[in-house]
């Protein structure tokens, strides 16, 4: 290891001496690799000029670091102020689509930001009966129907709140986007018990 390091240091020392040999006492090249020396001298001169010149700050942005920190493509947290607008509305003013996905049906209701109902549909109202109500196709159809009803009321951008573990929770969101609604955010409001109520006894078969 010592031999390799000593060989490397001697090689670097010899290369530096070859570069500096053409310089005489006045600092001008007298021979050797003149192109390399010219390149080194011009680069040093440019660096010195850049250091002496004052840096100009653009007057368009008063504080670019602050503006870049404040801006975000993601929806804000509840209570957080944001400069983003969807159709001229803030995030808190957007209509809300409530999706309740049970094991036997999927309910979809569109409300405004204050909670007043604007449109409502489910798999049963779309013509599905019995076991077919609990299929993803039925939930997707209900989502498309809810999107059409909401667009008739002038709704374009919505927030989605999903509750439940039914088979149609993802298909309903897909149906909303297929129906023409622009989904800004998706929130899962499924209630999770912390060892609350005692479950039912196991079913005998």
């Amino acid at each position: 290891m010592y031999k390799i390091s000593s060989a490397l240091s001697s090689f670097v020392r010899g290369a530096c001496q070859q570069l500096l040999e053409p310089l005489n006492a006045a600092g001008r090249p007298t021979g050797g690799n003149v192109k390399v020396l010219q390149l080194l001298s011009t680069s040093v001169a440019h660096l010195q000029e850049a250091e002496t010149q004052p840096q100009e700050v653009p007057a368009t942005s008063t504080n670019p670091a602050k503006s870049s920190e404040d801006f975000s493509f993601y929806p804000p947290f509840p209570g957080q102020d944001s400069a983003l607008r969807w159709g001229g509305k803030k995030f808190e003013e957007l209509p809300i689509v409530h999706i309740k996905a049970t094991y036997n049906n999927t309910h979809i209701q569109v409300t405004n930001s204050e909670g007043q109902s604007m449109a409502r549909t489910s798999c049963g109202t779309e013509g599905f009966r019995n076991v077919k109500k609990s299929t993803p196709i039925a939930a997707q159809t209900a989502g498309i129907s809810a999107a059409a009803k909401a667009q008739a009321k002038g709704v374009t951008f919505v927030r989605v709140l999903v509750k439940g573990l039914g088979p149609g929770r993802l298909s309903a969101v897909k149906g909303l986007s297929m129906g023409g609604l622009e989904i800004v955010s998706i929130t899962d409001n499924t209630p999770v018990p912390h060892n609350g109520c005692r479950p039912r006894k196991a079913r005998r078969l």
Side-chain angles (χ1 to χ4, degrees):
M1 190 70 184
Y2 176 74
K3 292 181 181 180
I4 295 174
S5 61
S6 61
L8 266 172
S9 61
S10 62
F11 175 73
V12 171
R13 191 181 300 111
C16 292
Q17 287 177 358
Q18 286 181 3
L19 282 173
L20 295 176
E21 275 179 4
L23 289 174
N24 57 5
R28 295 181 181 177
T30 56
N33 199 349
V34 182
K35 291 183 179 180
V36 174
L37 293 171
Q38 286 178 352
L39 181 62
L40 288 172
S41 61
T42 53
S43 62
V44 170
H46 285 310
L47 286 173
Q48 290 177 352
E49 290 177 2
E51 288 179 358
T52 56
Q53 291 178 356
Q55 295 181 354
E56 297 180 358
V57 179
T60 55
S61 62
T62 57
N63 196 351
K66 185 177 180 182
S67 62
S68 63
E69 289 177 359
D70 292 342
F71 182 77
S72 175
F73 289 101
Y74 301 103
F77 291 105
Q80 181 184 3
D81 192 14
S82 176
L84 293 177
R85 296 291 184 272
W86 293 271
K89 294 182 180 181
K90 293 183 179 181
F91 182 76
E92 294 83 6
E93 299 172 354
L94 292 175
I96 306 172
V97 178
H98 300 270
I99 298 175
K100 184 180 179 182
T102 64
Y103 291 108
N104 297 322
N105 203 349
T106 303
H107 303 270
I108 301 174
Q109 187 170 12
V110 183
T111 64
N112 58 8
S113 58
E114 298 176 356
Q116 297 176 354
S117 179
M118 300 173 65
R120 186 186 179 283
T121 185
S122 65
C123 298
T125 56
E126 295 302 314
F128 295 93
R129 292 288 177 262
N130 302 328
V131 184
K132 294 182 180 179
K133 290 194 299 183
S134 60
T135 58
I137 299 297
Q140 182 173 327
T141 306
I144 295 173
S145 175
K149 292 179 181 179
Q151 282 185 327
K153 299 284 183 69
V155 176
T156 305
F157 298 94
V158 294
R159 295 181 283 163
V160 176
L161 300 181
V162 183
K163 180 183 288 187
L165 300 174
R169 50 185 282 143
L170 294 179
S171 301
V173 176
K174 185 178 179 182
L176 291 174
S177 61
M178 288 175 62
L181 291 181
E182 298 289 337
I183 298 174
V184 175
S185 70
I186 301 174
T187 307
D188 190 6
N189 278 351
T190 303
V192 179
H194 299 279
N195 288 337
C197 300
R198 180 179 177 178
R200 295 181 62 181
K201 63 179 181 180
R203 183 183 173 190
R204 287 189 182 180
L205 295 176

